[in-house]
Short mmCIF file of all heavy atoms in Angstrom, two decimals:
data_model
loop_
_atom_site.label_atom_id
_atom_site.label_comp_id
_atom_site.label_asym_id
_atom_site.label_seq_id
_atom_site.Cartn_x
_atom_site.Cartn_y
_atom_site.Cartn_z
N SER A 186 -1.23 28.96 47.16
CA SER A 186 -0.52 27.70 46.97
C SER A 186 0.19 27.28 48.25
O SER A 186 0.29 28.04 49.22
CB SER A 186 0.51 27.85 45.85
OG SER A 186 1.63 28.58 46.32
N ILE A 187 0.73 26.07 48.22
CA ILE A 187 1.44 25.57 49.39
C ILE A 187 2.70 26.38 49.67
O ILE A 187 3.18 26.45 50.79
CB ILE A 187 1.76 24.06 49.21
CG1 ILE A 187 2.01 23.39 50.56
CG2 ILE A 187 2.92 23.86 48.26
CD1 ILE A 187 2.06 21.88 50.46
N GLY A 188 3.20 27.05 48.61
CA GLY A 188 4.37 27.90 48.77
C GLY A 188 4.03 29.34 49.09
O GLY A 188 4.90 30.20 49.13
N GLY A 189 2.75 29.62 49.31
CA GLY A 189 2.33 30.96 49.69
C GLY A 189 2.06 31.90 48.53
O GLY A 189 1.85 33.09 48.73
N LEU A 190 2.06 31.38 47.30
CA LEU A 190 1.75 32.23 46.15
C LEU A 190 0.25 32.44 46.06
O LEU A 190 -0.54 31.50 46.18
CB LEU A 190 2.25 31.58 44.86
CG LEU A 190 3.76 31.35 44.75
CD1 LEU A 190 4.09 30.73 43.40
CD2 LEU A 190 4.53 32.65 44.94
N ARG A 191 -0.14 33.67 45.82
CA ARG A 191 -1.55 34.02 45.72
C ARG A 191 -1.93 34.08 44.25
O ARG A 191 -1.30 34.81 43.47
CB ARG A 191 -1.80 35.36 46.41
CG ARG A 191 -3.27 35.74 46.59
CD ARG A 191 -3.33 36.96 47.48
NE ARG A 191 -4.67 37.53 47.55
CZ ARG A 191 -5.60 37.13 48.40
NH1 ARG A 191 -5.33 36.14 49.25
NH2 ARG A 191 -6.78 37.71 48.42
N VAL A 192 -2.93 33.32 43.85
CA VAL A 192 -3.31 33.22 42.45
C VAL A 192 -4.74 33.72 42.27
O VAL A 192 -5.65 33.28 42.99
CB VAL A 192 -3.22 31.76 41.95
CG1 VAL A 192 -3.62 31.66 40.48
CG2 VAL A 192 -1.82 31.20 42.16
N GLN A 193 -4.92 34.62 41.30
CA GLN A 193 -6.25 35.09 40.96
C GLN A 193 -6.77 34.27 39.78
O GLN A 193 -6.27 34.41 38.67
CB GLN A 193 -6.22 36.57 40.58
CG GLN A 193 -7.56 37.14 40.14
CD GLN A 193 -8.57 37.15 41.25
OE1 GLN A 193 -8.35 37.76 42.30
NE2 GLN A 193 -9.71 36.48 41.04
N PRO A 194 -7.73 33.39 39.98
CA PRO A 194 -8.19 32.51 38.90
C PRO A 194 -8.81 33.28 37.74
O PRO A 194 -9.42 34.33 37.92
CB PRO A 194 -9.23 31.62 39.58
CG PRO A 194 -8.94 31.73 41.05
CD PRO A 194 -8.41 33.11 41.26
N ASP A 195 -8.68 32.69 36.55
CA ASP A 195 -9.29 33.27 35.37
C ASP A 195 -10.78 32.95 35.28
O ASP A 195 -11.55 33.74 34.74
CB ASP A 195 -8.60 32.76 34.10
CG ASP A 195 -7.18 33.27 33.97
OD1 ASP A 195 -6.97 34.48 34.15
OD2 ASP A 195 -6.28 32.46 33.69
N LEU A 196 -11.16 31.77 35.77
CA LEU A 196 -12.58 31.41 35.71
C LEU A 196 -12.92 30.39 36.79
O LEU A 196 -12.02 29.73 37.34
CB LEU A 196 -12.97 30.87 34.34
CG LEU A 196 -12.54 29.48 33.92
CD1 LEU A 196 -13.43 28.99 32.76
CD2 LEU A 196 -11.09 29.46 33.47
N ALA A 197 -14.20 30.28 37.08
CA ALA A 197 -14.68 29.31 38.05
C ALA A 197 -14.91 27.97 37.36
O ALA A 197 -15.22 27.90 36.17
CB ALA A 197 -15.98 29.79 38.68
N LEU A 198 -14.76 26.90 38.12
CA LEU A 198 -14.89 25.55 37.56
C LEU A 198 -16.25 25.35 36.89
O LEU A 198 -16.34 24.67 35.85
CB LEU A 198 -14.69 24.52 38.67
CG LEU A 198 -14.68 23.05 38.23
CD1 LEU A 198 -13.55 22.78 37.25
CD2 LEU A 198 -14.56 22.14 39.45
N ALA A 199 -17.29 25.91 37.44
CA ALA A 199 -18.63 25.73 36.87
C ALA A 199 -18.75 26.29 35.46
O ALA A 199 -19.64 25.90 34.70
CB ALA A 199 -19.67 26.39 37.78
N ASP A 200 -17.84 27.18 35.09
CA ASP A 200 -17.88 27.80 33.77
C ASP A 200 -16.96 27.14 32.76
O ASP A 200 -16.86 27.59 31.61
CB ASP A 200 -17.52 29.29 33.88
CG ASP A 200 -18.52 30.06 34.72
OD1 ASP A 200 -19.73 29.73 34.64
OD2 ASP A 200 -18.10 30.96 35.47
N LEU A 201 -16.28 26.08 33.17
CA LEU A 201 -15.33 25.39 32.29
C LEU A 201 -16.05 24.29 31.51
O LEU A 201 -16.71 23.44 32.09
CB LEU A 201 -14.19 24.78 33.11
CG LEU A 201 -13.17 23.95 32.33
CD1 LEU A 201 -12.44 24.80 31.30
CD2 LEU A 201 -12.18 23.29 33.30
#
Side-chain angles (χ1 to χ4, degrees):
S186 76
I187 201 169
L190 298 181
R191 190 171 171 86
V192 180
Q193 177 65 58
D195 292 312
L196 74 161
L198 185 61
D200 297 324
L201 176 62

